[in-house]
């Protein structure tokens, strides 16, 4: 096989090197193309553009494969814990016993947040969307830990910033929720594990202690693992591009959270439940909404369906669909919107519109139904996604810094006016 491709342009032959990944996927290196030919490439939405070489996640959308650092997602979801997976993603290897103990202990002992955060929280109206609150509070960490501002500091300093962020995000998220519903803020407890501690801060009150059902903590652990990393998606690319200007870890991750918030990305899990509720309120006619999704004059899309890279099935969705049945069964929850979701999926998968476009349920189609069964309010679903995705954002930011990647700065093809003279107000 040739190790370059030829581009014939204006009587010239330009040789473009072929780059090969460890799973034999091939790419054309166009980094010198403009210098060689005056041409740039155009690819709105980066549908066909590799922005980096990364050793973190391998994904084959045609075969439905997802691996973190080589380990299949199915095995990690079945056998691992969230903190172990986070270590794997961020530091590149499964931790041994001592490493995992140290990592867990460090995170457990950094969960408190500065008391002045309460003043910041009080400044938000109670109806503020928690995604806006948590992304603001993550940026605010820079004010409390100014040493985190220098991303070129020592590996130990970077590790401390990472530990703080991993440890404090559940506290920040639970406090955003408590502030919204007007309940006293609950402090972290060091005797609880990562998920148990978060659930306790969410659901206990000074009047009533909360003890998480192991079914709930296990389901939450699995969901966080399934969301932990997904290579160069919208929010992760945002983290890398913001970090490429040498912005700090907290500033970069906060930007990623805002990218995640949109309904085409992580905001889809909230949008799916709102869609299923709307279908239920409208008489439960799934076919009516399928017809709307297919109608090009109707802006309605089937939320939780379709994916930029999965064109056969989303392996995370398979695991989550099974987990939804298990969790609802074990908790004795019967949710009519699960039946609507299954009917929608069945009809869509038999419909030529969805088949031809390779549109399948994605990770968000069933995750909201599980979150709902666990008692998580709908507007916190994307916050749960953010907690899950945090190791991915951190690992990708760290890799980008360690690779010494250049500042992200795409080009464009200009389509505006040619040069023209300023027109005085009296002549407009
Ligand atoms: N409902 C109806 N039609 C759809 C849908 C949908 N959910 N998704 C894509 N299509 C159609 C689209 O109209 C287009 O049709 P045509 O070729 O006739 O113009 C075709 O399928 C290709 O769609 P696209 O928008 O070009 O594909 P994309 O890769 O740019 O977008 C997507 C991917 C995920 C944004 C899109 O499928 C979508 O909007 N899905 C609903 C939102 C959603 O569930 N997002 C969560 C993604 S998974 C979580 C995450 O990691 O972000």
């Amino acid at each position: 096989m040739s190790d370059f491709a030829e581009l014939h342009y204006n009587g010239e032959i330009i040789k473009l090197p072929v780059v090969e990944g460890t799973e034999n996927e091939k790419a054309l290196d166009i980094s010198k193309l403009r210098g060689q030919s005056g041409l740039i490439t155009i690819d709105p939405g980066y549908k066909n553009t590799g922005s980096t070489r990364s050793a973190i996640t391998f994904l084959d959308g045609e075969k439905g494969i997802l691996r973190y650092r080589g380990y299949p997602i199915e095995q990690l979801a079945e056998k691992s814990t969230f903190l172990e997976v986070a270590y794997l993603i961020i530091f590149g290897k499964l931790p041994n016993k001592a490493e995992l103990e140290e990592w867990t202990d460090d995170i457990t002992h950094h969960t408190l947040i500065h008391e002045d955060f309460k003043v910041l929280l009080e400044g938000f109206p109670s109806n503020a969307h928690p995604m806006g609150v948590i992304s603001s509070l993550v940026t605010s960490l820079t004010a409390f830990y100014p040493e985190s501002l220098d991303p070129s500091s020592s590996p130990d300093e970077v590790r401390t910033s990472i530990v703080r962020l991993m440890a404090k995000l559940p506290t920040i998220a639970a406090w955003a929720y408590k502030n919204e519903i007007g309940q006293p803020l609950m402090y972290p407890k060091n005797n609880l594990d990562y998920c148990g501690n978060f659930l306790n801060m969410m659901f206990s009150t000074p009047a009533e202690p909360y003890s998480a059902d192991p079914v709930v903590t296990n389901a939450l652990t699995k969901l966080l693992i399934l969301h932990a990393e997904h290579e160069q998606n919208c929010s992760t690319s945002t983290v890398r591009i913001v970090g490429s200007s040498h912005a700090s870890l907290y500033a970069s991750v906060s930007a990623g959270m805002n990218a995640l918030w949109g309904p085409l990305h992580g905001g889809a899990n909230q949008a799916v439940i709102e869609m299923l509720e709307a279908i239920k309120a409208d008489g439960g006619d799934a076919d009516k909404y399928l017809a709307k999704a297919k109608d090009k004059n109707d802006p309605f899309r089937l939320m939780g369906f379709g994916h930029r890279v999965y064109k056969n099935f989303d392996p995370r969705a398979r695991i989550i669909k099974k987990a939804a049945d298990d969790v609802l069964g074990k908790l004795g929850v019967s949710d009519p919107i699960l039946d609507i979701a299954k009917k929608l999926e069945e009809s869509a998968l038999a419909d030529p519109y969805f088949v031809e476009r390779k549109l399948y349920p994605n990770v968000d189609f069933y995750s909201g139904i599980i979150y709902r069964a666990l008692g998580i309010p709908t507007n916190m679903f994307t916050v749960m996604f953010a907690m899950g995705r945090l190791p991915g954002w951190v690992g990708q930011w760290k890799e980008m810094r360690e690779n010494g990647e250049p500042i992200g700065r795409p080009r464009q093809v200009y389509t505006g006016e040619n040069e023209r003279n300023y027109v005085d107000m009296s002549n407009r």
Side-chain angles (χ1 to χ4, degrees), residues 66 68 73-83 85 193-195 199 214-229 315-327 330 363 367 370-371 374 384-385 387-389:
L66 175 62
Y68 302 159
I73 188 68
E74 293 80 5
Q75 291 180 23
L76 293 170
E78 187 62 36
K79 299 182 177 163
S80 195
T81 65
F82 180 61
L83 284 188
V85 169
D193 69 10
Y194 197 79
C195 291
L199 290 164
V215 173
V216 174
T217 27
N218 290 342
L220 181 56
T221 300
K222 193 175 276 205
L223 283 169
L224 296 188
I225 291 173
L226 291 173
H227 282 89
E229 163 56 17
R316 305 166 302 170
R318 281 202 171 165
I319 302 172
I320 287 184
K321 183 180 177 187
K322 189 174 167 300
D325 278 328
D326 283 356
V327 171
K330 282 184 189 151
V363 68
S367 67
I370 305 185
Y371 283 135
L374 305 187
M384 306 307 295
F385 193 154
M387 274 174 46
R389 184 52 55 83

Side-chain angles (χ1 to χ4, degrees), residues 176 240 273 422:
R240 282 186 92 121
I273 293 293
Y422 179 79

Side-chain angles (χ1 to χ4, degrees), residues 34 49 78 96 109 170 194 201 207 267 272 331 359 361 368 385 420:
R34 187 165 175 275
T49 294
E78 187 62 36
N96 62 30
H109 290 94
Y194 197 79
M201 288 187 286
V272 169
L331 294 175
L359 301 171
F385 193 154
R420 49 185 173 164

Side-chain angles (χ1 to χ4, degrees), residues 118 121-122 126 174-186 199-208 210:
K118 290 181 177 169
L121 261 180
E122 280 162 14
S126 62
W175 280 22
Y177 172 61
K178 287 293 195 191
N179 192 54
E180 180 191 343
I181 60 170
Q183 284 188 1
L185 307 177
M186 300 304 292
L199 290 164
N200 188 60
M201 288 187 286
M202 283 284 288
F203 299 126
S204 65
T205 68
E208 197 151 358
Y210 167 89

Side-chain angles (χ1 to χ4, degrees), residues 47 264-265 296 301-302 304-305 308 353 357 362 364:
K47 291 192 177 199
L264 298 189
H265 190 10
K296 292 291 172 198
R301 277 195 163 199
L302 202 54
F305 255 73
R308 171 60 62 77
Y353 174 95
R357 289 170 179 75
N362 59 49
D364 285 332

Side-chain angles (χ1 to χ4, degrees), residues 104-131:
T104 306
D105 193 66
D106 280 351
I107 288 179
T108 305
H109 290 94
H110 282 85
T111 47
L112 277 174
I113 52 182
H114 197 289
E115 287 292 296
D116 287 353
F117 264 79
K118 290 181 177 169
V119 182
L120 299 178
L121 261 180
E122 280 162 14
F124 287 99
S126 62
N127 61 353
H129 194 287
M131 280 302 284

Side-chain angles (χ1 to χ4, degrees), residues 23 56-59 65-73 76:
E23 290 286 342
I56 301 179
T57 289
F58 174 68
L59 193 166
I65 294 174
L66 175 62
R67 296 180 202 138
Y68 302 159
R69 304 280 188 187
Y71 297 101
I73 188 68
L76 293 170

